[in-house]
């Protein structure tokens, strides 16, 4: 056995097998790429509201494309509030010149990331304005000492945002990811969308076709059909795989923008404590799907504060275990 393992021919053969495997994996991604790329729906007939406004164009004519993203010299929240005078209280805005096609709530789970939040808001607000969206940004802050529960905070944000307005589209956004292109539409189509497919720390490549983490967007009807995220993933990892399996169960097809558009920068941060129970939870995930999610989220949190800040709506919660 030892002689076989040391044979140069065997080593070379193993290397060839590894290379072939990598090439086939890359070919597989290329072959399925066309089925993942988003085709925006065609322009429909003109719609006019009671103010005489026509529907906004599907493709906004004022987009810039690639953005110059810098993590330095970012204004303070007070300075941004003076810059973005077109914002309504709570970080909400809708175009005046046309009727937006999308009513969007951007949900950001948060704890102790003020610098990251400032940078993200500085990029998002002008970008969403150029996309001609009717939108609001909601920051859901977990205050108590229990492990960070990203999926639960998304569910809380969903429930609380609907108390503010009748949103039809929800963006689930990590605070440490910043879009590099304003053609990444933060609106909804007929399928869930994984927006952050190409991140700088992954060399702008998609590491896994099942990936749904980072930044994603879903119609309200789709989110309710899968009962939202699981409420049980305390610590890092697992909740995105769980909701991907829920979408698969409902036969929803995950879509993405081309990788040269869906580019994000990740800000440096300390990784959350690993969830050691995630594999056990995933094995039982689909069995809990009907009872573990937005229909049971009220049992898992207590709202401590709800404030309409100049740049976002702040929702502070204690997580109950």
């Amino acid at each position: 056995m030892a002689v076989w393992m040391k044979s140069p021919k065997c080593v070379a053969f193993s290397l060839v097998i590894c290379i072939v495997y990598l090439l086939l994996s890359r070919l597989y991604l290329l072959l399925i790429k066309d089925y993942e790329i988003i085709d925006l729906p065609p322009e429909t007939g003109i719609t006019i509201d009671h103010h005489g406004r026509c529907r906004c164009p599907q493709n906004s004519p004022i987009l810039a494309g690639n953005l110059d993203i810098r993590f330095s010299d970012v204004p303070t929240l007070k300075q941004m509030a003076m810059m973005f005078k077109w914002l309504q209280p709570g970080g909400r805005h809708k175009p005046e010149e046309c009727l937006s096609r999308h009513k969007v709530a951007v949900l950001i789970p948060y704890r102790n990331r003020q610098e990251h939040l400032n940078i993200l808001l500085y990029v998002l607000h002008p970008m969403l304005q150029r996309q001609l969206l009717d939108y609001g940004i909601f920051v859901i802050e977990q205050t108590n000492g229990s492990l960070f529960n990203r999926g639960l905070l998304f569910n809380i944000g969903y429930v609380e945002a609907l108390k503010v307005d009748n949103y039809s589209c929800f963006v689930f956004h990590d605070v440490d990811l910043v879009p590099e292109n304003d053609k990444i539409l933060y609106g909804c189509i007929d399928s869930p969308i994984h927006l952050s497919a190409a991140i700088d720390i992954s060399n702008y490549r998609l590491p896994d076709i099942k990936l749904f983490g980072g930044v994603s967007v879903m119609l309200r009807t789709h989110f309710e059909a899968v009962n939202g995220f699981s409420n049980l993933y305390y610590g890092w990892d697992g909740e995105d795989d769980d909701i991907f399996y829920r979408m698969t169960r409902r036969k929803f097809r995950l879509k993405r923008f081309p990788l040269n558009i869906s580019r994000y920068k990740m800000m440096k941060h300390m990784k959350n404590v690993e969830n050691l129970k995630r594999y056990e939870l995933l094995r039982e995930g689909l069995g809990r799907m009907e009872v573990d999610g937005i229909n049971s989220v009220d049992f898992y949190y207590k709202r401590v504060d709800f404030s309409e800040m100049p740049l976002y709506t702040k929702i502070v919660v204690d997580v109950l275990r």
Side-chain angles (χ1 to χ4, degrees):
M1 177 68 73
V3 173
W4 186 88
M5 290 297 291
K6 292 180 181 179
S7 169
K9 290 184 178 180
C10 294
V11 172
F13 180 76
S14 299
L15 287 173
V16 170
I17 292 296
C18 290
I19 293 171
V20 169
Y21 174 78
L22 291 172
L23 290 174
L24 288 175
S25 299
R26 179 57 55 188
L27 178 61
Y28 176 67
L29 285 173
L30 290 173
L31 287 174
I32 66 168
K33 181 178 179 182
D34 291 337
Y35 298 96
E36 294 181 335
I37 298 303
I38 293 172
D39 289 322
L40 293 177
E43 298 285 358
T44 55
I46 295 175
T47 301
I48 301 178
D49 69 355
H50 61 281
H51 295 295
R53 296 178 303 171
C54 295
R55 179 181 283 190
C56 298
Q58 180 69 48
N59 296 298
S60 171
I62 55 176
L63 297 178
N66 292 328
L67 306 176
D68 182 18
I69 303 300
R70 300 179 183 181
F71 295 157
S72 59
D73 301 323
V74 175
T76 64
L77 293 180
K78 186 176 181 179
Q79 290 170 331
M80 278 188 265
M82 294 297 294
M83 295 169 62
F84 306 149
K85 292 183 178 180
W86 37 268
L87 281 176
Q88 298 298 312
R92 293 190 286 277
H93 173 73
K94 57 184 176 182
E96 297 181 354
E97 63 272 25
C98 57
L99 183 65
S100 180
R101 294 170 178 265
H102 308 272
K103 198 173 189 66
V104 183
V106 181
L107 310 180
I108 305 173
Y110 174 85
R111 183 161 66 179
N112 301 328
R113 298 278 193 89
Q114 189 64 57
E115 181 182 3
H116 291 175
L117 181 60
N118 287 14
I119 294 170
L120 181 59
L121 293 172
Y122 186 52
V123 175
L124 276 188
H125 276 303
M127 168 177 149
L128 299 180
Q129 183 201 35
R130 290 194 300 272
Q131 291 187 359
L132 302 176
L133 299 177
D134 180 349
Y135 75 91
I137 294 182
F138 297 82
V139 176
I140 309 94
E141 180 176 359
Q142 182 177 334
T143 61
N144 57 346
S146 39
L147 291 175
F148 193 69
N149 190 326
R150 179 175 175 270
L152 173 60
L153 294 180
F154 278 141
N155 286 346
I156 294 170
Y158 173 85
V159 170
E160 295 290 340
L162 286 176
K163 296 176 183 177
V164 175
D165 207 340
N166 188 30
Y167 293 104
S168 58
C169 180
F170 291 82
V171 177
F172 306 97
H173 208 304
D174 283 353
V175 73
D176 53 18
L177 286 175
V178 181
E180 297 184 43
N181 192 310
D182 64 4
K183 293 183 179 180
I184 308 171
L185 178 64
Y186 276 49
C188 282
I189 59 171
D190 58 354
S191 296
I193 311 172
H194 179 225
L195 297 177
S196 57
I199 302 177
D200 60 345
I201 62 168
S202 298
N203 295 318
Y204 297 107
R205 295 177 180 176
L206 179 65
D208 187 347
I209 59 171
K210 301 188 299 297
L211 191 64
F212 194 65
V215 187
S216 53
V217 59
M218 294 179 73
L219 283 167
R220 176 179 177 179
T221 51
H222 289 161
F223 196 64
E224 291 182 350
V226 300
N227 198 17
F229 286 85
S230 167
N231 297 311
L232 303 182
Y233 288 85
Y234 294 88
W236 175 76
D237 203 16
E239 73 283 345
D240 292 318
D241 294 324
D242 189 292
I243 197 171
F244 178 83
Y245 296 141
R246 293 180 181 213
M247 292 188 295
T248 302
R249 171 63 63 89
R250 292 289 185 256
K251 294 181 169 52
F252 294 151
R253 191 177 185 185
L254 184 61
K255 294 187 178 181
R256 295 181 174 92
F257 287 101
L259 295 185
N260 66 321
I261 292 178
S262 55
R263 294 165 65 98
Y264 283 76
K265 286 188 183 296
M266 178 175 283
M267 293 177 273
K268 293 181 180 179
H269 63 281
M270 294 287 292
K271 186 175 289 188
N272 195 16
V273 178
E274 187 176 3
N275 182 352
L276 299 178
K277 296 183 178 180
R278 64 187 184 277
Y279 296 117
E280 177 184 346
L281 289 168
L282 282 171
R283 282 195 298 270
E284 303 167 353
L286 291 179
R288 299 189 314 271
M289 178 175 166
E290 304 299 334
V291 296
D292 170 26
I294 52 177
N295 64 0
S296 59
V297 69
D298 289 346
F299 297 106
Y300 292 91
Y301 79 101
K302 176 183 177 182
R303 196 173 83 178
V304 177
D305 184 32
F306 187 99
S307 303
E308 290 190 332
M309 313 293 284
L311 298 173
Y312 60 92
T313 298
K314 180 180 181 180
I315 305 168
V316 183
V317 298
D318 279 342
V319 169
L320 310 176
R321 295 195 68 171

